[in-house]
Amino acid sequence: MKDYLRASSYFDFDSSSVAEYGRELVGSESDPVKISYKLYLGVRDDIRYNAYTFETTEQSFSASYCLAQGESYCVPKAVLLCALCRLYEIPARIGLADVRNHLASPQFLEHLKSNVFVMHGYTDIFLEGQWVKATPAFDAGLCKLMNLSPLEFNGREDSIFHEFDNDGDRHMEYLKEHGTFSDVPRMLILESVAAAYPHLAEEVKVKSQR
């Protein structure tokens, strides 16, 4: 479990900004399940979801960078939640999966030229003797616009994307699990993104070398 409690350049809960944010969210709460719930809600709604914020630098995958930007996509948001859990000595790790978004916007479909999102990030948290998945990606405001109910998290059951929206239309389909990681596999993510979206491959390659 020590690997899931350490600080790193990505899970930088030892930075003053992340530590202070965690204390603001948790207050005097001491129960790990309730702490994880408070942290989840904070990351879900305080950091606005924006899929166009993808960057390739090492810094851009860190918890402190995500917090400072105030908006991000699924991977950095999952990293931030993971770092905050570790701040409170709750074991946590990042999980990655490929998903198909049946309700993706026309603009983003044009950007990716696909409705498959590779390397979707979620947080895997160890609570009460078991690992549970938490998905803090979509904030409540975005969910309202998308006709979705915001994902809830109770610390005891997996919280993953809804299969259908509130009208019963297909929303998110999980295609492939890549497993969980004690630290962010940045190069794996960049290589997968470049392979999945060839028209973006050269841009990703150039930026990853900076």
Side-chain angles (χ1 to χ4, degrees), residues 7-23 62-68 80 83-84 87:
S8 72
S9 60
Y10 301 114
F11 302 124
D12 55 347
F13 61 83
D14 49 353
S15 69
S16 58
S17 61
V18 175
E20 181 179 352
Y21 178 61
R23 288 193 292 269
S62 71
S64 59
Y65 187 82
C66 176
L67 180 61
L80 176 56
L84 290 167
L87 173 67

Side-chain angles (χ1 to χ4, degrees), residues 73-95:
Y73 63 104
C74 58
V75 172
K77 292 189 69 171
V79 170
L80 176 56
L81 178 56
C82 186
L84 290 167
C85 287
R86 293 185 183 189
L87 173 67
Y88 282 93
E89 299 185 346
I90 300 171
R93 57 195 183 186
I94 187 169

Side-chain angles (χ1 to χ4, degrees), residues 7-95:
S8 72
S9 60
Y10 301 114
F11 302 124
D12 55 347
F13 61 83
D14 49 353
S15 69
S16 58
S17 61
V18 175
E20 181 179 352
Y21 178 61
R23 288 193 292 269
E24 289 176 355
L25 291 177
V26 172
S28 60
E29 184 57 65
S30 60
D31 178 77
V33 172
K34 294 179 180 178
I35 288 173
S36 67
Y37 172 74
K38 288 175 175 284
L39 297 176
Y40 172 82
L41 285 184
V43 175
R44 188 192 74 182
D45 293 338
D46 291 344
I47 310 299
R48 187 171 68 88
Y49 180 80
N50 184 346
Y52 296 98
T53 59
F54 177 78
E55 298 180 46
T56 61
T57 63
E58 181 175 347
Q59 179 190 29
S60 71
F61 286 85
S62 71
S64 59
Y65 187 82
C66 176
L67 180 61
Q69 298 307 301
E71 62 176 10
S72 196
Y73 63 104
C74 58
V75 172
K77 292 189 69 171
V79 170
L80 176 56
L81 178 56
C82 186
L84 290 167
C85 287
R86 293 185 183 189
L87 173 67
Y88 282 93
E89 299 185 346
I90 300 171
R93 57 195 183 186
I94 187 169

Side-chain angles (χ1 to χ4, degrees), residues 20-208:
E20 181 179 352
Y21 178 61
R23 288 193 292 269
E24 289 176 355
L25 291 177
V26 172
S28 60
E29 184 57 65
S30 60
D31 178 77
V33 172
K34 294 179 180 178
I35 288 173
S36 67
Y37 172 74
K38 288 175 175 284
L39 297 176
Y40 172 82
L41 285 184
V43 175
R44 188 192 74 182
D45 293 338
D46 291 344
I47 310 299
R48 187 171 68 88
Y49 180 80
N50 184 346
Y52 296 98
T53 59
F54 177 78
E55 298 180 46
T56 61
T57 63
E58 181 175 347
Q59 179 190 29
S60 71
F61 286 85
S62 71
S64 59
Y65 187 82
C66 176
L67 180 61
Q69 298 307 301
E71 62 176 10
S72 196
Y73 63 104
C74 58
V75 172
K77 292 189 69 171
V79 170
L80 176 56
L81 178 56
C82 186
L84 290 167
C85 287
R86 293 185 183 189
L87 173 67
Y88 282 93
E89 299 185 346
I90 300 171
R93 57 195 183 186
I94 187 169
L96 297 169
D98 296 344
V99 298
R100 186 186 306 277
N101 188 342
H102 294 270
L103 296 178
S105 69
Q107 294 86 350
F108 200 60
L109 290 176
E110 175 63 24
H111 175 66
L112 283 191
K113 303 188 185 306
S114 174
N115 68 350
V116 174
F117 296 178
V118 300
M119 295 292 154
H120 154 66
Y122 60 89
T123 309
D124 210 26
I125 309 172
F126 193 75
L127 294 164
E128 298 185 332
Q130 65 175 347
W131 289 99
V132 288
K133 297 176 181 178
T135 306
F138 293 165
D139 58 273
L142 177 63
C143 287
K144 184 177 181 180
L145 292 174
M146 294 175 62
N147 192 32
L148 293 169
S149 298
L151 282 177
E152 298 296 340
F153 177 69
N154 61 17
R156 296 182 172 89
E157 301 169 296
D158 288 340
S159 176
I160 60 176
F161 281 132
H162 298 298
E163 185 176 359
F164 301 96
D165 70 5
N166 291 337
D167 289 333
D169 294 324
R170 195 72 183 271
H171 174 222
M172 204 70 78
E173 177 185 0
Y174 284 82
L175 302 176
K176 181 179 179 179
E177 283 282 349
H178 295 282
T180 55
F181 305 83
S182 60
D183 210 350
V184 179
R186 173 174 165 263
M187 291 312 301
L188 173 63
I189 294 172
L190 296 184
E191 290 166 2
S192 298
V193 168
Y197 316 114
H199 60 292
L200 300 177
E202 190 60 32
E203 179 182 355
V204 170
K205 179 180 178 182
V206 170
K207 287 183 177 180
S208 65

